[in-house]
Amino acid sequence: TASSLRGAWSAVKSSTEAFAVEFRDDGKFVLVYVNQGKQTRSSGAFVLTSETLTLSGERGFTLSGALKTVSDSEFQFRPSSRTGNSDALIFKRSK
């Protein structure tokens, strides 16, 4: 459920690429993406429908994909891709 996502999470894709996201009680999110030391921040609203998580933000930003809950402190997110399957990101709850 969307309420189980509330809080701060992070995922590491590679030694130079990482994500941090906070899901808030009011259905809003803040996402920070770091790649090669450069940081991009997006914010907006999130919706969890069945097993699909969709983030909709400013300037047309949309990110959607399959979400699989592993435990209370971990979930997998596999972004939808036009080119086929993308690798799942493993998010862990931040302390």
Side-chain angles (χ1 to χ4, degrees), residues 44-60:
F46 75 94
V47 176
L48 181 60
T49 315
S50 185
E51 295 177 359
T52 301
L53 174 64
T54 302
L55 308 177
S56 301
E58 68 276 347
R59 297 183 300 277

Side-chain angles (χ1 to χ4, degrees), residues 62-80:
T62 302
L63 179 62
S64 185
L67 183 136
K68 178 182 177 188
T69 301
V70 177
S71 69
D72 288 343
S73 60
E74 184 177 317
F75 70 85
Q76 294 178 3
F77 178 68
R78 185 177 305 275
S80 300

Side-chain angles (χ1 to χ4, degrees), residues 13-82:
K13 187 170 183 179
S14 71
S15 62
T16 60
E17 210 173 353
F19 298 84
V21 64
E22 180 184 4
F23 296 105
R24 298 181 178 160
D25 291 337
D26 61 0
K28 304 286 185 189
F29 75 91
V30 176
L31 173 69
V32 177
Y33 170 62
V34 179
N35 187 6
Q36 309 239 346
K38 295 190 169 134
Q39 193 176 91
T40 305
R41 183 181 184 274
S42 301
S43 60
F46 75 94
V47 176
L48 181 60
T49 315
S50 185
E51 295 177 359
T52 301
L53 174 64
T54 302
L55 308 177
S56 301
E58 68 276 347
R59 297 183 300 277
F61 171 83
T62 302
L63 179 62
S64 185
L67 183 136
K68 178 182 177 188
T69 301
V70 177
S71 69
D72 288 343
S73 60
E74 184 177 317
F75 70 85
Q76 294 178 3
F77 178 68
R78 185 177 305 275
S80 300
S81 170
R82 292 184 189 104

